[in-house]
Amino acid sequence: MSRTPATLTASSTIDQWLGHPEGGPVLRGFLAQAGTDEAALGPARSMPLQQLVALSQGALPQAAVDDLVRRVNGGIIPEADGSAWQERPVAGRFEGRTVIVTGAGSGIGRATASRVAREGGRVIAVDIAADRIEDLTASLDDYQVVPIAADLTDAEAVARIIAGTEGRIDALANVAGINDDFSPLHEVSDAMWSRVFAVNVEGLMRLTRAVLPVMLDAGRGSIVNVASEAGLRGSASGVAYTASKHAVVGITRSAAFMYAKDGVRINAVAPGGVATGIPMPGTPSAFGSARLEAARVNIPSIADPAHLAATITFLLSDDGVNINGAILPSDGGWSAV
Ligand SMILES: NC(=O)c1ccc[n+]([C@@H]2O[C@H](COP(=O)([O-])OP(=O)(O)OC[C@H]3O[C@@H](n4cnc5c(N)ncnc54)[C@H](O)[C@@H]3O)[C@@H](O)[C@H]2O)c1
């Protein structure tokens, strides 16, 4: 149950809006006009109202959120009261460090790359989408970002990424990944299985294999692999994605054990639901969707990509000094269910 704030703002959660004597009717009216209701929001109710702008990918414009806030505050947009979570970058935490971040063009990877850069690091920002990493680089004009457009399934691209580091790699965040179509084992196509494994497992393995000699030579390094709740349980996605993220967990544990005496730490973060635009390839399996829908009621909250960046940068940085081989859920408690 979330506390009802005295003043509703865009930083107040949807739950707080719904529980507010004025905000509840205003938001319910808005949802009804949009042809939906609060039940359809599911675990997204734990998110700040503001996050719906990014999550809806244009369906809910900023102007509509501003309008809702004005309607419950006598026509003005009040200052946020500071009670909502705020990212607090640690000045200089990555000073002098070169950090490769894959999937840096969107979602969790973008938030991680941005935070490392703002904490003083030189970021090698990798993504298959050239326009997205150009956009990231432009948004971090005063910081050190080297954009490298590369498809991680392409062996030549891995060599280009290593060349772009100019011989120094202190940390690697393997964030890039793709979804499956929720298909169960009796339905999964060879194409879906191969594509998901090519990106989520083989791409991660090949880049990490190329990075490790540099770290082992230096006698230090930190690697964070992004797994998923689907790497911890069977009820979070389809078989291809679930198996791929279990493989990421296995790669993490094996490497952590192998290099434990060589100064290289390897950990994984297992996100729960995160408000990103991660695409669903094709039409979701009806069989898989129905099974997953029933399990999804256990998701306590949907995170902002910056929440995951906070977890990932902690492990990437020297703050994670004694942590090796951990599979750290960053999921608002989903894995405790
Ligand atoms: N969003 C979630 O709810 C969630 C939950 C658990 C785990 N994850 C994992 O977090 C990671 C990031 O997901 P996100 O939600 O930020 O997704 P996203 O789609 O917003 O970002 C992923 C990025 O990876 C890039 N990418 C995809 N294939 C690539 C390739 N072959 N080579 C290089 N770049 C490639 C995409 O262009 C994209 O910019 C993924 O590994 C995903 O499996 C996400």
Side-chain angles (χ1 to χ4, degrees):
M1 193 174 296
S2 59
R3 191 179 54 84
T4 306
T7 308
L8 282 179
T9 66
S11 303
S12 309
T13 66
I14 294 165
D15 258 337
Q16 288 173 333
W17 272 78
L18 291 170
H20 192 272
E22 283 173 72
V26 168
L27 184 57
R28 284 190 186 90
F30 176 83
L31 291 170
Q33 258 183 9
T36 184
D37 62 22
E38 62 197 272
L41 293 170
R45 289 170 56 129
S46 64
M47 296 188 321
L49 184 69
Q50 179 62 42
Q51 247 173 274
L52 285 182
V53 174
L55 192 62
S56 71
Q57 300 190 334
L60 179 72
Q62 183 64 48
V65 168
D66 291 347
D67 184 50
L68 287 172
V69 175
R70 282 198 200 90
R71 281 169 62 188
V72 297
N73 288 294
I76 58 151
I77 296 184
E79 293 283 313
D81 66 3
S83 62
W85 180 84
Q86 278 188 325
E87 187 179 57
R88 297 190 192 279
V90 182
R93 189 161 57 154
F94 289 99
E95 202 72 58
R97 302 284 163 87
T98 293
V99 183
I100 302 175
V101 181
T102 71
S106 173
I108 299 169
R110 183 178 171 116
T112 302
S114 166
R115 181 145 183 182
V116 170
R118 286 177 289 123
E119 293 189 352
R122 173 173 173 262
V123 176
I124 312 295
V126 176
D127 203 289
I128 195 170
D131 55 334
R132 291 186 187 167
I133 37 169
E134 290 303 339
D135 183 69
L136 168 81
T137 311
S139 74
L140 292 165
D141 210 15
D142 296 337
Y143 301 94
Q144 303 174 73
V145 181
V146 180
I148 299 185
D151 178 349
L152 290 169
T153 65
D154 170 7
E156 177 275 331
V158 169
R160 252 182 325 109
I161 297 166
I162 302 299
T165 65
E166 295 167 2
R168 171 153 199 159
I169 310 170
D170 299 281
L172 163 65
N174 283 310
V175 188
I178 57 170
N179 235 332
D180 69 7
D181 59 358
F182 294 166
S183 49
L185 186 51
H186 76 280
E187 282 180 359
V188 68
S189 69
D190 284 350
M192 180 61 61
W193 183 272
S194 302
R195 181 71 193 150
V196 168
F197 267 72
V199 179
N200 293 4
V201 183
E202 286 152 29
L204 177 150
M205 179 278 290
R206 285 208 200 88
L207 178 59
T208 311
R209 186 172 63 188
V211 161
L212 274 164
V214 179
M215 291 184 171
L216 292 172
D217 265 0
R220 60 186 303 280
S222 173
I223 298 171
V224 176
N225 296 326
V226 172
S228 168
E229 196 74 22
L232 309 175
R233 60 172 78 235
S235 58
S237 193
V239 69
Y241 186 83
T242 301
S244 77
K245 293 301 187 179
H246 275 71
V248 169
V249 168
I251 291 169
T252 306
R253 290 208 170 108
S254 166
F257 164 74
M258 291 287 183
Y259 308 118
K261 296 187 174 186
D262 298 299
V264 180
R265 298 184 293 107
I266 297 105
N267 294 289
V269 168
V274 190
T276 70
I278 190 165
M280 159 73 59
T283 312
S285 153
F287 184 107
S289 299
R291 298 291 296 151
L292 293 168
E293 184 83 46
R296 210 164 285 142
V297 296
N298 287 326
I299 303 177
S301 60
I302 302 289
D304 184 285
H307 297 164
L308 272 299
T311 311
I312 294 167
T313 52
F314 159 65
L315 288 174
L316 277 180
S317 78
D318 285 350
D319 287 342
V321 58
N322 198 35
I323 306 179
N324 187 31
I327 313 299
L328 180 60
S330 179
D331 62 1
W334 184 6
S335 54
V337 177

